Amino acid sequence: MQVGPISRRRFLSTSAKAGAALAMGGAVTTFLEACSATPNASSAAASASGTVAVEIDEGQNANPFQWFNPNMKAKFGATTNIIGLPFVGQYEKIVAEMVTRSSVYDVLVFPPQMLGDFVSNGFLAPLSELGNESDFNLTDVLPAYRDPNLRRNGKLYAAMYDGDILQIAYRTDIFSAAGISQPPQTWDDFLNIAKELHKPPTQYGNAFLAQRGFCYAWFMNIFAALGGKWFTADMKPAINTDQGVQALQMLVNLKQYAPPNILQIGYQELNEAYLNGSTAMVVQWDDLALKAEDPSQSKVVGKNAYAPCPVRNYMPYSRVMAVSAFSKNQQNAYKVIQYMDSADVSIKYVYDPKCGEDPFRQSHLDASKVKDHLGNPSMPAAQAQSYVGAIKTCLTTGYPELSIPGAPRYLDILDLFVNEALAGSLTPSQALTQAANEWDSITASLGQDNQVKAYSDWVNAFHAAGVTY
Amino acid sequence: MMATRRRPSRWSGGRRFALLTVAPATIILIVLSVFPLLYSLRLSFTDQQLLSLVPPRFVGLANYAQLLQDNLFWSSLGVAAAFALSVVTVQLGVGLALALALYRLPRYQQFIATLLLIPSILSSSVASFQWRSLFDYSSGPLNYFLGLLHLPLLSWTADPRLALPSLLLVDFWQWTPFVTLLLLAGLHALPASVFEAARVDGSSSWQILRYQTLPLLRRVIAITVILRLIGAFKVFDIIYVLTAGGPGSATESLAFYNYVQGFRYFSVGYSAAMSYVSVIIVIVLARVILRYMERPVGRPAADVPVAEAAV
């Protein structure tokens, strides 16, 4: 192309403008960098007064952070500002915030099922790079909760806050009156006992969480006992097997001996069904025991015993604490996590009926330590013995919750189809086949090879922790 | 000498002012509506997952093809269609009856109309939380009254056969008053002389309703139907609060399933394709209703009943 004198002038003029624009752009960039540096500087300065934003599912689980705020303030000058998210929907809200690299959260409290996604997408700052792993006294953390829940790619990303496991709570008075001397040892036993003790509308044989959101965990609890696995080594779904169909059929059968609104029963409703005295036995997270022995919450104080679930005990949810990779207050966030995770602080909240946290350290497993954060015994000695004993046994037969990348999605799909079977819209076999098909699509969308490796690493972590899987 | 008239510049005077006035709205529209629309259209041709380590690829119409084979998509479309059809039919029928009744009560009309506004000014989520308490199996007033009448208690939102009707009840409670008010306003806008003439000609109340009121009210009815159809088709809040799509997928509407794909699974490409399908369905339905609305009000003489023709 020929460039005439006028075009040249225009060219020069345009170049000059472009140059000026670039220079301005550079200036703007520098200015923006300076601006973005300002909050860093100010947050560093603020860290002396230090408010650490803690994301957690709202409600009782946030209480320990509030209780220990004055102690943290006195110890290292930081307090926490709780950002409560709804329990159902927590995952999407965290992700929506973190994909924009938002610094709104300093500490994230979430279940380990999300750890795979959060680490692979760079949402978390490794604790091992912010301080020393020895700060967390990891040898005291129960093996099933330790590396599989806290570590990825050799780095420590999280610290425990709540160790969850399912266990049976049952009414000793009702069992005795019916001449039943021991809790169920197999799932067939469980069904028979539920049938025998089912006397509606005053007494229901059993209850479980059947509402959409977490009913998959109650299926997995039975599936685990029958020897089921999540996937094969090459990531083919292993839920649509005979064990899977049998487990789901068992859950559907148990529905007959449950309260009539069983499909409406979520976590709170399940607690209530037991605490109001209308249900003979339930499978629930272990913190139910604390509430069952608390006269302000329960009509059945002193009438309960606690036992492991038949054969295996599923470990749904749990909670870990991690530092956001985008936090501008990472050092204080680290200190908050270290403080809340420490043995002498966590022992004050894991047995407190006013929150939902459960033991996760070896040092927690002592019946004499079942006290609330004010130091008062939170249940009678006999019940405390039964409760802590059940947790110890449960942990030896604990069955891990999936926590590879995409885990929340796999679990949500499983939950949907388990719920379809419970609602009677699909047979157990149809439900699990459809769930398996959806699982295949998830695996394909996340990359088959990536998932095979992540699953293998995860299974190995459990094997290394001594968990049978 | 012939005066040279200066040609008005494109940017002169009133034109410049007009453009400057329109510009902010245009820019906002482009940034907030046109750009997201085009961006989501582009997304719908990719397999983008927000949390995948696999880079997004252009997949053409694959997302749209996948929708055709997705059982959950079809079941959610079925739920949305059933919900929208029931909402429009019931709310229009009851709303019209109430509007006609109110029209004949000029004395109390303003007071009742004000009361009727209350449900529709509440946010749907707030209303849903109130209804959740009402539906509660053990402590809800609905089951309390059933108990008083010695009737079996109902699992309003947990029984697969009752869950969708329960949601319809909430939507009915919230939006029927709004439909009533729209139709009442329409009735007030009709020319009184037509009805007076009909009465003078000896038409019965039913004939006036059938051959005068409804045809004249047709445009208001069409607008009401479109508004409620769009509202019902994208229903989300009450499902999120009351059933979360359950039991199973009994109440998982298209909007809710789209939310699950987009914001729970972060399959943004697939979710964008689903959004476009939803938009196309609503546009086609609205277009059909608008065409009906544009038809002339009169009917061929042959259709007119003998009594009327005689008049």
Side-chain angles (χ1 to χ4, degrees):
Chain A
M1 191 179 89
Q2 266 198 331
V3 181
I6 295 172
S7 299
R8 243 194 329 265
R9 225 178 359 249
R10 270 191 190 153
F11 172 73
L12 287 172
S13 149
T14 310
S15 304
K17 283 175 190 164
L22 282 171
M24 281 295 288
V28 169
T29 311
T30 314
F31 174 72
L32 288 176
E33 276 168 4
C35 286
S36 66
T38 311
N40 269 331
S42 65
S43 71
S47 67
S49 62
T51 300
V52 175
V54 177
E55 170 285 322
I56 189 169
D57 50 299
E58 62 201 352
Q60 60 171 358
N61 296 302
N63 291 345
F65 284 96
Q66 315 271 23
W67 294 333
F68 292 102
N69 255 339
N71 307 48
M72 285 190 270
K73 177 88 176 164
K75 191 171 163 81
F76 50 87
T79 53
T80 58
N81 173 35
I82 301 297
I83 303 177
L85 297 183
F87 184 61
V88 176
Q90 183 190 17
Y91 171 71
E92 47 262 44
K93 287 184 194 309
I94 296 176
V95 172
E97 203 69 57
M98 300 302 276
V99 290
T100 63
R101 305 172 69 83
S102 159
S103 59
V104 69
Y105 308 131
D106 299 313
V107 170
L108 296 161
V109 182
F110 57 88
Q113 58 166 272
M114 300 176 189
L115 189 69
D117 275 341
F118 291 0
V119 169
S120 61
N121 285 280
F123 293 169
L124 306 178
L127 294 177
S128 34
E129 289 173 13
L130 292 170
N132 292 318
E133 287 194 9
S134 57
D135 292 342
F136 297 95
N137 190 10
L138 290 169
T139 49
D140 185 38
V141 176
L142 293 159
Y145 295 134
R146 197 192 300 145
D147 288 359
N149 278 3
L150 310 178
R151 209 181 281 278
R152 286 292 180 279
N153 313 319
K155 291 179 184 170
L156 185 73
Y157 278 94
M160 285 299 292
Y161 178 60
D162 172 25
D164 279 331
I165 196 151
L166 293 184
Q167 67 174 204
I168 297 176
Y170 64 99
R171 289 277 299 282
T172 46
D173 54 335
I174 296 177
F175 270 55
S176 302
I180 303 167
S181 58
Q182 59 170 7
Q185 305 298 307
T186 66
W187 281 103
D188 285 333
D189 256 6
F190 192 99
L191 181 68
N192 291 333
I193 293 175
K195 187 177 177 181
E196 191 178 336
L197 302 179
H198 189 61
K199 295 178 175 91
T202 50
Q203 181 180 301
Y204 302 106
N206 85 116
F208 56 94
L209 197 154
Q211 194 185 60
R212 179 91 167 79
F214 269 99
C215 59
Y216 75 87
W218 273 251
F219 157 73
M220 285 306 299
N221 197 36
I222 306 174
F223 181 57
L226 301 179
K229 298 264 165 65
W230 292 101
F231 294 97
T232 61
D234 57 350
M235 282 303 283
K236 292 275 168 250
I239 45 167
N240 51 336
T241 51
D242 286 347
Q243 293 113 313
V245 174
Q246 223 178 313
L248 191 46
Q249 188 59 57
M250 172 61 74
L251 202 61
V252 172
N253 293 344
L254 284 171
K255 211 179 84 168
Q256 300 169 69
Y257 311 114
N261 62 328
I262 184 71
L263 290 177
Q264 232 168 2
I265 288 186
Y267 170 75
Q268 292 292 358
E269 293 82 5
L270 185 53
N271 280 348
E272 198 187 313
Y274 189 77
L275 301 177
N276 68 17
S278 67
T279 308
M281 65 175 168
V282 297
V283 171
Q284 173 66 306
W285 273 287
D286 42 345
D287 63 291
L288 171 63
L290 298 162
K291 294 170 173 59
E293 308 304 341
D294 176 4
S296 70
Q297 301 187 52
S298 165
K299 291 182 182 169
V300 291
V301 176
K303 296 177 179 171
N304 315 289
Y306 309 95
C309 299
V311 191
R312 299 291 302 258
N313 294 269
Y314 187 61
M315 301 192 290
Y317 217 69
S318 295
R319 285 177 182 80
V320 297
M321 302 173 282
V323 175
S324 161
F326 315 120
S327 161
K328 298 189 188 316
N329 200 5
Q330 291 187 340
Q331 281 306 323
N332 272 339
Y334 179 89
K335 284 178 193 165
V336 167
I337 291 176
Q338 187 199 347
Y339 182 80
M340 294 302 290
D341 172 77
S342 64
D344 50 342
V345 171
S346 56
I347 191 63
K348 292 176 186 159
Y349 62 77
V350 292
Y351 288 126
D352 195 310
K354 300 285 189 298
C355 69
E357 282 35 76
D358 301 300
F360 54 84
R361 288 183 173 277
Q362 310 271 11
S363 54
H364 292 161
L365 297 180
D366 176 348
S368 69
K369 292 183 175 170
V370 183
K371 291 174 180 160
D372 67 17
H373 68 284
L374 301 172
N376 306 313
S378 53
M379 65 168 72
Q383 270 70 26
Q385 199 72 42
S386 162
Y387 165 58
V388 174
I391 293 176
K392 281 181 184 167
T393 317
C394 287
L395 283 165
T396 60
T397 56
Y399 185 94
E401 174 145 278
L402 193 69
S403 69
I404 59 173
R409 194 170 158 189
Y410 288 112
L411 297 178
D412 191 69
I413 284 290
L414 179 61
D415 189 75
L416 169 66
F417 286 103
V418 167
N419 202 249
E420 291 275 17
L422 287 172
S425 347
L426 295 173
T427 65
S429 172
Q430 289 169 332
L432 292 173
T433 304
Q434 291 195 30
N437 292 339
E438 294 288 333
W439 276 21
D440 277 331
S441 315
I442 299 170
T443 304
S445 71
L446 294 173
Q448 179 86 18
D449 295 342
N450 296 339
Q451 294 301 91
V452 167
K453 183 178 180 313
Y455 183 63
S456 160
D457 289 349
W458 177 74
V459 170
N460 290 338
F462 274 100
H463 287 164
V467 175
T468 311
Y469 179 75
Chain B
M1 194 177 93
M2 209 170 85
T4 50
R5 239 176 70 190
R6 209 175 150 193
R7 231 176 120 198
S9 150
R10 273 196 314 180
W11 295 102
S12 66
R15 198 165 183 174
R16 181 192 295 180
F17 178 73
L19 284 170
L20 282 174
T21 341
V22 171
T26 312
I27 291 167
I28 289 170
L29 191 71
I30 289 171
V31 172
L32 296 183
S33 293
V34 178
F35 174 72
L37 263 177
L38 295 176
Y39 187 77
S40 61
L41 182 64
R42 189 187 75 87
L43 270 182
S44 76
F45 299 123
T46 69
D47 63 353
Q48 184 152 5
Q49 302 259 341
L50 219 51
L51 288 184
S52 174
L53 301 181
V54 182
R57 293 169 308 152
F58 178 79
V59 292
L61 293 171
N63 285 330
Y64 293 90
Q66 194 187 330
L67 276 177
L68 298 177
Q69 295 164 354
D70 183 347
N71 291 335
L72 289 173
F73 167 73
W74 287 110
S75 73
S76 63
L77 185 60
V79 169
F83 188 85
L85 193 68
S86 315
V87 158
V88 170
T89 314
V90 176
Q91 292 183 9
L92 191 67
V94 176
L96 185 63
L98 284 173
L100 288 167
L102 273 179
Y103 188 67
R104 286 155 197 255
L105 287 173
R107 200 168 157 195
Y108 304 106
Q109 215 173 80
Q110 278 201 338
F111 176 68
I112 296 173
T114 312
L115 286 183
L116 282 177
L117 267 175
I118 294 171
S120 23
I121 57 174
L122 274 179
S123 117
S124 292
S125 352
V126 172
S128 306
F129 275 109
Q130 289 176 339
W131 275 93
R132 193 157 83 172
S133 312
L134 295 176
F135 284 140
D136 190 89
Y137 185 84
S138 38
S139 59
L142 292 180
N143 272 357
Y144 172 75
F145 287 118
L146 288 178
L148 284 184
L149 297 169
H150 302 287
L151 292 168
L153 306 187
L154 298 175
S155 292
W156 293 91
T157 53
D159 183 331
R161 292 160 303 175
L162 270 182
L164 194 61
S166 300
L167 297 183
L168 284 167
L169 180 64
V170 178
D171 198 85
F172 174 81
W173 171 84
Q174 185 162 31
W175 293 110
T176 305
F178 173 72
V179 170
T180 306
L181 290 179
L182 276 184
L183 295 174
L184 185 63
L187 284 172
H188 278 296
L190 298 184
S193 56
V194 176
F195 299 107
E196 280 161 20
R199 265 190 289 275
V200 169
D201 291 344
S203 299
S204 67
S205 296
W206 167 249
Q207 283 173 325
I208 291 175
L209 175 69
R210 169 73 182 80
Y211 299 111
Q212 305 282 355
T213 312
L214 290 182
L216 288 170
L217 205 58
R218 199 173 61 185
R219 292 186 177 189
V220 180
I221 291 175
I223 293 293
T224 310
V225 168
I226 289 174
L227 285 176
R228 288 310 300 131
L229 191 71
I230 293 171
F233 213 78
K234 62 177 191 179
V235 62
F236 178 81
D237 331 33
I238 60 172
I239 296 177
Y240 187 82
V241 174
L242 285 169
T243 63
S249 53
T251 57
E252 194 161 284
S253 70
L254 194 56
F256 193 84
Y257 183 51
N258 201 349
Y259 155 80
V260 169
Q261 284 293 339
F263 292 95
R264 197 179 289 170
Y265 303 160
F266 299 103
S267 306
V268 285
Y270 191 56
S271 174
M274 207 184 307
S275 304
Y276 268 90
V277 171
S278 314
V279 167
I280 289 166
I281 292 171
V282 171
I283 287 175
V284 168
L285 288 174
R287 191 67 217 133
V288 169
I289 296 163
L290 284 170
R291 278 185 77 119
Y292 165 77
M293 186 182 90
E294 281 158 8
R295 273 171 44 194
V297 169
R299 291 170 301 128
D303 288 353
V304 181
V306 178
E308 257 184 285
V311 175

